[in-house]
Amino acid sequence: MLTLAAERVPVVSACGYVTDYGLEAVEGLVASGLVAQLVRRGRKPGGVVVRVLLLARENEIAHRSPQSTIQRVLPTTWTHRESLLAGY
């Protein structure tokens, strides 16, 4: 019996896409063996599921962003491109 942290939790595919699924869909993914990891809140074994990570399907190719999301600011400092554009 799974317990979700919210009504819908994010499910991350191996190619990087994120979609929100409800309890029935998550239980179906677990039953079909497509789940790589159930990320749970807390250290208890029966903790609520916060996020679901899926296994790669056959011939699945990861999508890539046209520009790098991590950029070097200083010789030892890196930041996300969105933060850099926002002025942080």
Side-chain angles (χ1 to χ4, degrees), residues 3-6 8-10 38-42 47-52:
T3 305
L4 303 182
R8 301 175 71 78
V9 294
L38 293 171
V39 180
R40 296 179 187 265
R41 181 182 300 152
V48 294
V49 176
V50 178
R51 175 172 288 200
V52 178

Side-chain angles (χ1 to χ4, degrees), residues 1-2 7 20 25 27 29-30 35 42 56-57 62 67 72 82:
M1 176 79 186
L2 291 175
E7 188 175 315
D20 291 338
E27 287 177 343
L29 290 171
V30 171
V35 174
R57 294 184 183 173
Q67 298 178 357
R72 183 180 231 158
E82 292 81 16

Side-chain angles (χ1 to χ4, degrees), residues 3-4 6 11 14 17 19-20 23 30-31 34-35 42-43 45-46 48 50 52 56 58 64 77 85:
T3 305
L4 303 182
V11 176
Y17 290 113
T19 52
D20 291 338
L23 179 62
V30 171
L34 294 175
V35 174
R43 296 179 182 254
V48 294
V50 178
V52 178
E58 189 175 335
R64 296 175 187 252
T77 307
L85 292 175

